[in-house]
Amino acid sequence: MLTKATVIGAGAMGTVMAQILESNGMNVALLARECELPELLETRENRTYLPGVRLAAGVRPTDDPAAALANAELIISAIPAQFLRGRWEELAAHVPAGVPVCSVTKGIELGTLLRPTQVIAQHAPNNPLAVLSGPSIAPELARCLPATVVVASATPGLAEQLQSVMSTSWFRIYTSPDVLGVELAGALKNVIALAAGILDGLRAGDNAKSALVTRGLVEITRLGAALGARAETFVGLAGVGDLITTCISPLGRNRSAGERIGRGHSVQQVIEQSPSVIEGIPTTRAVVELARRHRVEMPITQAVYEVLFEDKSPLAAITELMQRPPKAEDRR
């Protein structure tokens, strides 16, 4: 039975993962940035990302990678996708070989177009990898509200081991062998969530949002299948499950960011005023490039890209989507 874990990243999801592991009897090192540590030590709260949530007694905040990782039996990686490579470059020398690493990052690295586990693998080649994803908004998890997610790994038995050590009475975990599909779904849904928020900002109505979520799921499934993922993964927790939560919850960062853009705020304003990374914005760039390389049609994603990076007005983008040539419904 695992007894010692290290969580890399003291953002909202990293903090929640530390709390869950501690509640299952593990001693947990929460590896924070130097600037984050004083507050965590002084108040035992993550006031920037999870205000009002007190760290459990068995969670030990630190900014010392060597001390945090020295005796780890499990590592949870909770670093935003665009900062993942830099952080793992710093940590690689301290990571014990053979210790499982589970990523909870949802995004795609710009430039390389690599998924988080692929980036981690370049710096921890001797560590078995897994990914945990699904409808899991951190403030709800911090309140121990019921949630169900999926963990995937290509290493025999690892997904089941993580299922055992991370499940609680309110946090249910299913397993999957489809690392590619689970990881892609977690990244791609953020792009559709931005679009959902833009519709909310424009007060376009529930009919429009329902259509967006449905057709958005078609798009992300189409790209996932082109890359080799299982289509059924996208109608499971990591796909449609996470998509629904992210597109409707007022707590979802990407949906909330999209709403502000729909109301007329500039993308730069939204980024600068958010305390957390809005993963869907850089991921949109990466997804458009992936779609281009694999010749996959993704009109909603393209429209979001044009709003974010080409100064197209949200209303014009929606109008163009609605005026696309008529066709038969394609659910593939």
Side-chain angles (χ1 to χ4, degrees):
M1 184 68 179
L2 303 180
T3 61
K4 297 178 181 178
T6 298
V7 177
I8 302 171
M13 196 60 180
T15 302
V16 164
M17 289 293 102
Q19 298 282 82
I20 289 173
L21 291 168
E22 197 275 350
S23 73
N24 280 346
M26 300 187 74
N27 293 313
V28 184
L30 180 60
L31 186 55
R33 294 175 296 169
E34 184 178 356
C35 62
E36 297 168 328
L37 188 61
E39 178 182 279
L40 293 171
L41 291 175
E42 181 181 347
T43 68
R44 297 293 296 176
E45 285 185 22
N46 192 334
R47 291 180 175 175
T48 302
Y49 303 110
L50 286 175
V53 178
R54 189 165 180 80
L55 293 180
V59 175
R60 176 174 56 89
T62 179
D63 63 355
D64 183 346
L69 291 161
N71 299 307
E73 299 169 337
L74 170 64
I75 298 170
I76 305 294
S77 178
I79 303 294
Q82 309 312 319
F83 300 95
L84 188 65
R85 181 175 298 278
R87 189 59 165 145
W88 273 88
E89 286 176 350
E90 298 170 354
L91 301 177
H94 304 290
V95 175
V99 173
V101 178
C102 180
S103 171
V104 296
T105 300
K106 297 177 179 179
I108 297 172
E109 187 179 48
L110 286 171
T112 66
L113 305 184
L114 294 178
R115 295 172 285 111
T117 57
Q118 292 176 305
V119 175
I120 295 170
Q122 292 181 346
H123 299 92
N126 299 313
N127 297 75
L129 299 176
V131 56
L132 183 143
S133 193
S136 49
I137 291 177
E140 291 191 2
L141 298 183
R143 294 163 54 202
C144 300
L145 296 180
T148 308
V149 297
V150 59
V151 63
S153 178
T155 301
L158 179 55
E160 289 74 16
Q161 182 183 36
L162 293 173
Q163 181 184 49
S164 175
V165 301
M166 298 178 71
S167 293
T168 73
S169 61
W170 54 270
F171 191 59
R172 181 173 174 83
I173 303 175
Y174 288 87
T175 63
S176 168
D178 187 12
V179 175
L180 171 60
V182 169
E183 208 160 25
L184 278 176
L188 300 179
K189 59 87 185 178
N190 284 333
V191 180
I192 306 304
L194 284 166
I198 289 170
L199 289 182
D200 288 340
L202 292 171
R203 298 187 178 181
D206 293 336
N207 289 333
K209 182 181 276 192
S210 178
L212 173 85
V213 172
T214 304
R215 297 306 301 173
L217 180 62
V218 171
E219 282 193 16
I220 65 179
T221 304
R222 189 185 294 144
L223 180 61
L227 291 169
R230 298 182 177 187
E232 56 265 33
T233 297
F234 294 87
V235 293
L237 289 164
V240 68
D242 206 1
L243 183 64
I244 291 171
T245 292
T246 309
C247 288
I248 66 172
S249 174
L251 299 175
R253 283 174 289 176
N254 293 281
R255 192 215 60 82
S256 297
E259 183 174 5
R260 295 192 65 206
I261 292 168
R263 288 178 176 174
H265 294 265
S266 73
V267 176
Q268 193 59 38
Q269 279 181 316
V270 171
I271 293 172
E272 290 175 352
Q273 294 172 7
S274 173
S276 303
V277 175
I278 304 166
E279 290 274 30
I281 293 177
T283 294
T284 300
R285 282 191 185 273
V287 173
V288 166
E289 178 59 20
L290 277 174
R292 185 193 67 79
R293 291 187 186 182
H294 293 271
R295 299 181 181 179
V296 175
E297 184 183 26
M298 301 186 74
I300 295 172
T301 300
Q302 181 64 39
V304 173
Y305 177 89
E306 291 170 1
V307 169
L308 294 179
F309 304 113
E310 295 182 354
D311 294 324
K312 177 170 284 187
S313 77
L315 185 58
I318 292 171
T319 300
E320 288 183 14
L321 283 172
M322 294 298 291
Q323 292 178 343
R324 295 177 69 238
K327 58 182 289 188
E329 183 179 21
D330 182 1
R331 295 184 296 275
R332 293 173 295 170

